[in-house]
Amino acid sequence: MVKSIFEELEKPAPKNHFTVGIVDDVTHRSLPVDETFDIQPEDVVQSVFFGLGADGTVGANKNSIKIIGEETDLFAQGYFVYDSKKAGSMTISHLRFGPRPIEAPYLIKRAKFVACHQWQFLDRYDVLDCAADGAVFLANSPHGPEEVWSRLTVETQEQFLAKKLKFFVIDAYKVARATGMGGRINTIMQTCFFAISNVLPAEEAIAQIKKVIRKTYAKKGEAVVNQNCAAVDQALAALHEVKIPDSVTATRRKTPLIPAEAPDFTQRVTSIMLANKGDLLPVSAFPVDGTWPSATSQWEKRAIALEIPVWDASICIQCNKCVLVCPHAAIRPKFYPTDALQAAPPTFKSVEFRSQEWKGSKYSLQVAPEDCTGCTLCVAVCPVKSKTDPKLKALNMAPMQPLREQEGINFRFFQGLPAPDPARLALDVKGTQFREPLFEFSGACSGCGETPYIKLLTQMTGDRLLIANATGCSSIYGGNLPTTPYAVNREGRGPAWSNSLFEDNAEYGFGHRIALDKQTEYARELARRLSGNLGQELVDQLLGASQTNESEIAAQRERVRELRRRLAKIEVGEASDLYALADHLVRKSVWIIGGDGWAYDIGFGGLDHVVAMNAKVNLLVLDTEVYSNTGGQQSKATPRGATAKFATGAKRIARKDLGLIAMTYGTAYVAQIALGAKDSQAVKAFEEAESFPGTSLIIAYSPCIEHGYTMGLSLEEQKLAVDTGFWPLYRFDPRRADAGEPALKLDSAPPKVPLERLWASERRFQMLKDPQTSKDLLAAAQADVQKKYAYLEKLAAKG
Amino acid sequence: MVKSIFEELEKPAPKNHFTVGIVDDVTHRSLPVDETFDIQPEDVVQSVFFGLGADGTVGANKNSIKIIGEETDLFAQGYFVYDSKKAGSMTISHLRFGPRPIEAPYLIKRAKFVACHQWQFLDRYDVLDCAADGAVFLANSPHGPEEVWSRLTVETQEQFLAKKLKFFVIDAYKVARATGMGGRINTIMQTCFFAISNVLPAEEAIAQIKKVIRKTYAKKGEAVVNQNCAAVDQALAALHEVKIPDSVTATRRKTPLIPAEAPDFTQRVTSIMLANKGDLLPVSAFPVDGTWPSATSQWEKRAIALEIPVWDASICIQCNKCVLVCPHAAIRPKFYPTDALQAAPPTFKSVEFRSQEWKGSKYSLQVAPEDCTGCTLCVAVCPVKSKTDPKLKALNMAPMQPLREQEGINFRFFQGLPAPDPARLALDVKGTQFREPLFEFSGACSGCGETPYIKLLTQMTGDRLLIANATGCSSIYGGNLPTTPYAVNREGRGPAWSNSLFEDNAEYGFGHRIALDKQTEYARELARRLSGNLGQELVDQLLGASQTNESEIAAQRERVRELRRRLAKIEVGEASDLYALADHLVRKSVWIIGGDGWAYDIGFGGLDHVVAMNAKVNLLVLDTEVYSNTGGQQSKATPRGATAKFATGAKRIARKDLGLIAMTYGTAYVAQIALGAKDSQAVKAFEEAESFPGTSLIIAYSPCIEHGYTMGLSLEEQKLAVDTGFWPLYRFDPRRADAGEPALKLDSAPPKVPLERLWASERRFQMLKDPQTSKDLLAAAQADVQKKYAYLEKLAAKG
């Protein structure tokens, strides 16, 4: 049954199957569905539009529904389908128009009009699958009407011919540029839809679009209105019908979404979901226990960056700061013996590694071109200036497409290069970045301020890491399907990740710890009981092992391997129990991760409970100071004066200080960090938290698009947050108190820049319309900052 | 329908009706129940025992079940019925024994054996109601077999004759005293049960009892075993059958539970519940909206104290401290004009009031003898020593019964005396205690450490107070049925009290505030709209009124009365709306109250939320450092080293510091108080909290029987808690910070007594069996104390 479904999927141009029911080949209780069944009368116009998240397609379609619904006698309906990726993902709009109220609570399977607003989708997805016979297909294409047919694959051409489709093209990006609209193609594509879909008489529709334009942009002045109207007119001029030959002329076939070297599950299941056909997967395709394979984001290759960084090896000082700040683990360094370069691709770059300890090694910095999102943070952090051109750094942005193939080959070669033994790497900014990230290529926004912290964590503890993740952005990009950014190293070890509820994540992670401890306790007890069979010396070593650093942990893993070898030969029932539990003799690291909505609000009761219990767990708060994932509700971390999308009146009270609260226990390690402001302090905090014998809490400043500025500037912004005193950096370590020192150590200087500077650079502080209120709030917020620093100074003072 | 039920209840010796179904006279959907129906075969022995909470009846019955269930072939069943009063309430045990497994999931209606372990119950409750015809009745009676019949009421004698009961008596307290058992009558009554109930052959039963005695007390030595065995033997010797005459000889009738001057609802509903016949109340008897009348505990008159305080007016210095510490509001002071004494009962005491301002007034201190629980705290706090006998104070304990009638009369007279205008009373210890408590005679334990705080609160704000009460002891004694301790003053004003859930009480109270503010806002808007009709001057005064003290509030109330007078004459629709809302123009006080289980644990998320929002609500935490109501689970307030009934391993970590956490916001008023250690600071804290314009939090040290010492010593213990530094006193007032001073003010000195002293005086710190662990925990706890004080000192330091 499974086989046949997969075979079916592999056929070119299968039957319409956008919304078949569940195929339950396990209990066999599902009913067969006639995929061709459609009850929509012919006078209902059904249209499907494929767009890219944030390209304006969904907005334009909502607009079209408004025009038709309000300005004509027709009834309208719209469904909008998209996944939870933050940007760069596909959106599908399903629109129906007809002379009677539309009662169709399901998606469109046979559209009379299909539009593909992104040319690259044609190769990637089966966008014609939903086209009815004789439908009109509109593509935004860089290729003109004469050339475009030859750019299609065999499979696509076959569909055109089999369904007798009509084909229109427009180079919408070209029109947009020409009319001063930049990259905004939504109005242009909307115009084309009305021009060729026959929902309304074309002239009437165009008049309506212009009416809406006048209404929408009136405030922005006549120039903007005219610009948009010009775009409409030029769209009509640039729209062409394509003449379709009688037969297939292409020789190029669609390339598989997932390469052949990917693991079996990725090929059989992930690829189907990536092709947007996950609904077709039979029940048997899913893992029995709900565990989902990780390390799959590496196969997705979204290639959404327009520009990627290019390395100037000649001036690079090998600081690895670019690697640290990259939110997508898309730029990586390595040092390795020179002879590893023998099979290097021709354009692969390397230089002498600047190191006494590793003298004679080579150093490379490599970008993963299809995984980079083009956020520019690596360039921003680069401390090097070219002597020949001060505008150039050791990393500079360049268009991706010309580099894609070559750098893709280079990245694959780079990954095959030998990696250094982590036990020999320092736990500082540079050293940690030579460790393999086990969190890569997530669906987080380009320039995300949260993901660098998670990536750093996986570099330091990834091979023994359990994560309990609260609901929020980190649960979306962390556990999103079809692919998973948490990865495994060459030995197959990587983070185990799970997500319970918004309101119980700290407790959930606390439970991880309790379960681990119990299993370890039992493993130790079994080892003691079996010591006669296993040899007292090995058992003593296993139970007495110090596991405070990488080499000690490596040694313990070797002992566990030896233990398993010996256990395999023992025919005592308990031996198989210990065999199963043996990995629990190696130290595990439990991290409880979430955003401020979780930590300050909904899950705070549990977070407080865990801190109070002083269990050996670590808490990481990715503090964006707002509910980012749900689109902007105020949290208790939201600072005074900041607005949020759903709290436009601005916060009137100071933000809650989670760090100070945790410090009142005196028993927890507490750090407040900002990677972009002081990377060494951030790395130090992770090291100290991990080694602390009780609960640790790291509150990590996480810039977010909700703050209202370009994420490429977020490093500077973090510095500003620290320099204004808005975000003091500190580490509170009870071990210092045991040594008679103040536990609290301030890692940032007293406020030296007025808070106004920070407010001026983030839109969230500028949305209030009443200038007096805004001024009052700024004054109060400035007072907050002074008070908070004074409070911390008191606590950090000796005696 | 209702009428007939009440009439039925008033008849003497009604039919058996212990467990009739619900009588729904509102929807008329209930089915009639045949109250005489009983399916238990004759060979099942059904017995009912009436005991007093903590007199050992329930324990002895559980013991009897064990003996019969384990040592014979009979099957056994037991149900134990008691209310949630902490002590001094009735317990009813229903026991069944028979030759087959017993499947009777309901209480006994026709018992062959009924025992009443407390003589006073015969006059108060209908204990013979459940006796079957021909049943055996056993009473613990101070009156011998010759005299006892004559001590019964007409109603009881009639039941004896109608049901042809057999009657046995024993003076169990006399036997207990004679055999050195003190007040413990349980073994004695158990012996009598076995001797006359015929469940087992008497000799076999006695042998079994002695076997259990040996098993239970073996560890305590031969002497204790012998003492108990002697009690068994003497019980048999002191047990007598009463010869019952052929006809009623009594002339005395049962006195009603509730006097005739009580309000209608109290007489019609409360009294039925007090008689333990609440199940008989028809649906129509209950208030439609669930609101329950308050001020009913005054009618209960439990009279459970063996001794009550007697006032020596001649040496009293009129400090009112006894009044402040009384947990049950059972001792009260008043000053009044001399001529008010004209109708005074002969034993009513008064002296000159020591006051310049009120020169010529008289002062009285009066005990409510039937409401006092005999805790002795008033005597303990009395600062006066008699010059003639240094063992005597201005208050001294004396047996209650001889004083009961006379002091009852005196108390009623006292209550009729004129009271001073609260606006003229100082807000200090003495002044507040002249205010009427609107929380009195609760079911809390004798000597309860929580209730004095609530009483004080009602004295300061009771006539405009709304309480949101968390689950816990305070919700049990605060909202217990049948009677309610929250009371009303002569004007009918008193606290409005409600209880939602353990986990949402702070949010619930926050909602009270929001609702009040909205209603006030609307009332103000209506007043403005109607100002043409009402007169601009009155409206201006109403809306502009300052309401910061009692006289300003009284003035505003007068304005509201005038407003209502004028509204009554206006025929505008909005006038009736404003009439309904007018009371909202007077300032209300919202207090959110609960124990540490709520505040530190289950409801902490909400408490933190409310503090963060800085709404005008007040939070009062009655901190017993343990889940008191459920019998002793560890909370986050439990101190290091303390055990609890369900956490016998002792707390291994320091207690959570709720006050410090709240202080981190910088915007909330926070006080930590201990009434017994520094009463003036406690009173000051309530005054400051009430006047503070934002959120306030008072954390009140509340001694509890779970701490393991006699509650009469709790004032000394509170001083010790403060002197050891275990419980620092402070007030954190953001208003001080606005004035450039440190917000935190420490009200207690640095630790000057070793913590060991506190540990030595409370059993909760002495339950650990391992002396080394105990020593280590003490050392750590001592370090906690030093650290905490140092932390507070840092915060309280200037600059």
Side-chain angles (χ1 to χ4, degrees), chain B residues 256-302:
Chain B
L257 285 176
I258 298 279
E261 65 265 31
D264 179 61
F265 183 87
T266 311
Q267 299 215 43
R268 293 197 320 123
V269 180
T270 311
S271 69
I272 308 298
M273 296 168 79
L274 277 175
N276 205 30
K277 294 183 175 176
D279 284 352
L280 289 180
L281 285 170
V283 171
S284 69
F286 295 86
V288 200
D289 63 353
T291 306
W292 205 259
S294 61
T296 45
S297 62
Q298 61 184 302
W299 305 109
E300 193 165 2
K301 301 300 174 210
R302 295 193 294 152

Side-chain angles (χ1 to χ4, degrees), chain A residues 574-614:
Chain A
E574 288 180 335
S576 67
D577 289 358
L578 182 53
Y579 195 95
L581 287 170
D583 273 337
H584 286 92
L585 296 169
V586 179
R587 181 159 77 87
K588 302 281 187 298
S589 186
V590 176
W591 283 76
I592 300 170
I593 299 181
D596 47 288
W598 159 67
Y600 288 69
D601 288 2
I602 297 175
F604 173 63
L607 183 143
D608 169 78
H609 183 71
V610 168
V611 173
M613 293 294 109
N614 202 25

Side-chain angles (χ1 to χ4, degrees), chain B residues 5 27 126 131 148 268 281 285 371 374 558 635 707 710 765:
Chain B
I5 292 272
T27 66
D126 189 1
V148 67
R268 293 197 320 123
L281 285 170
D371 303 303
E558 186 46 51
S635 85
H707 296 179
T710 307
F765 293 114

Side-chain angles (χ1 to χ4, degrees), chain B residues 312-330:
Chain B
D312 183 348
S314 68
I315 60 173
C316 174
I317 59 169
Q318 306 177 4
C319 64
N320 285 358
K321 280 179 187 278
C322 51
V323 184
L324 180 70
V325 302
C326 176
H328 285 81

Side-chain angles (χ1 to χ4, degrees), chain A residues 549-795:
Chain A
N549 58 40
E550 294 294 335
S551 47
E552 288 174 352
I553 288 170
Q556 181 75 344
R557 285 206 176 112
E558 185 45 51
R559 279 181 216 112
V560 168
R561 269 188 289 271
E562 176 57 28
L563 172 69
R564 283 227 166 92
R565 273 191 289 271
R566 296 189 193 179
L567 283 169
K569 292 176 202 151
I570 301 174
E571 282 180 16
V572 180
E574 288 180 335
S576 67
D577 289 358
L578 182 53
Y579 195 95
L581 287 170
D583 273 337
H584 286 92
L585 296 169
V586 179
R587 181 159 77 87
K588 302 281 187 298
S589 186
V590 176
W591 283 76
I592 300 170
I593 299 181
D596 47 288
W598 159 67
Y600 288 69
D601 288 2
I602 297 175
F604 173 63
L607 183 143
D608 169 78
H609 183 71
V610 168
V611 173
M613 293 294 109
N614 202 25
K616 177 59 198 125
V617 293
N618 311 283
L619 299 144
L620 172 61
V621 181
L622 303 162
D623 195 344
T624 62
E625 307 185 324
V626 69
Y627 285 79
S628 302
N629 183 46
T630 44
Q633 290 81 11
Q634 179 179 294
S635 85
K636 282 200 271 294
T638 303
R640 198 197 294 262
T643 57
K645 208 174 288 169
F646 297 106
T648 52
K651 183 88 165 274
R652 300 299 167 113
I653 50 180
R655 70 191 295 271
K656 172 172 175 173
D657 197 317
L658 190 63
L660 274 186
I661 289 174
M663 280 185 231
T664 66
Y665 285 96
T667 50
Y669 177 89
V670 185
Q672 191 156 287
I673 65 175
L675 194 70
K678 201 166 183 179
D679 50 14
S680 59
Q681 189 251 4
V683 171
K684 190 85 193 148
F686 274 96
E687 186 198 342
E688 291 175 347
E690 172 64 15
S691 71
F692 186 69
T695 306
S696 79
L697 169 65
I698 294 181
I699 304 164
Y701 190 72
S702 302
C704 174
I705 52 170
E706 297 290 333
H707 296 178
Y709 63 89
T710 308
M711 283 296 98
L713 303 174
S714 74
L715 304 171
E716 274 311 306
E717 200 64 21
Q718 289 184 63
K719 285 196 191 81
L720 197 54
V722 171
D723 290 345
T724 54
F726 174 75
W727 190 267
L729 303 177
Y730 59 74
R731 287 166 298 132
F732 178 96
D733 193 334
R735 288 171 291 201
R736 266 196 288 275
D738 295 342
E741 292 287 300
L744 180 63
K745 203 165 160 39
L746 269 163
D747 295 321
S748 60
K752 60 186 176 205
V753 175
L755 190 64
E756 200 172 359
R757 284 268 309 280
L758 185 78
W759 280 43
S761 58
E762 302 190 10
R763 222 160 34 245
R764 60 174 167 158
F765 294 114
Q766 299 157 19
M767 303 297 280
L768 264 191
K769 279 173 190 154
D770 170 23
Q772 187 56 46
T773 306
S774 193
K775 210 175 145 185
D776 293 347
L777 284 170
L778 176 58
Q782 181 69 63
D784 292 342
V785 159
Q786 311 299 136
K787 255 193 268 180
K788 182 53 53 72
Y789 201 87
Y791 195 98
L792 289 169
E793 271 185 325
K794 261 190 183 181
L795 291 184

Side-chain angles (χ1 to χ4, degrees), chain B residues 136-250:
Chain B
V136 173
F137 178 69
L138 167 68
N140 170 21
S141 159
H143 314 294
E146 308 303 328
E147 184 196 352
V148 67
W149 179 257
S150 68
R151 296 287 181 157
L152 301 176
T153 60
V154 173
E155 293 88 342
T156 307
Q157 288 189 352
E158 281 174 349
Q159 277 175 303
F160 267 103
L161 296 173
K163 293 189 175 182
K164 300 190 169 56
L165 304 180
K166 294 182 86 173
F167 187 11
F168 288 82
V169 288
I170 179 172
D171 189 344
Y173 283 113
K174 192 171 163 192
V175 176
R177 279 193 303 273
T179 51
M181 306 280 285
R184 301 184 46 250
I185 59 164
N186 50 355
T187 306
I188 297 160
M189 295 306 293
Q190 188 188 16
T191 303
C192 296
F193 162 65
F194 275 115
I196 56 177
S197 65
N198 293 325
V199 180
L200 292 184
E203 282 183 21
E204 184 189 331
I206 304 305
Q208 290 293 353
I209 294 176
K210 289 189 174 171
K211 192 172 149 191
V212 171
I213 288 172
R214 267 178 227 111
K215 202 170 149 189
T216 311
Y217 298 112
K219 277 188 197 162
K220 300 197 173 177
E222 193 61 17
V224 176
V225 170
N226 290 342
Q227 201 173 56
N228 275 275
C229 289
V232 170
D233 295 334
Q234 293 203 24
L236 294 171
L239 178 64
H240 301 286
E241 183 161 4
V242 179
K243 202 170 165 284
I244 301 180
D246 292 337
S247 61
V248 171
T249 57

Side-chain angles (χ1 to χ4, degrees), chain A residues 87-106:
Chain A
S89 191
M90 187 166 69
T91 67
I92 311 177
S93 310
H94 296 250
L95 269 57
R96 288 188 177 97
F97 304 105
R100 292 166 305 279
I102 294 167
E103 289 175 22
Y106 42 83

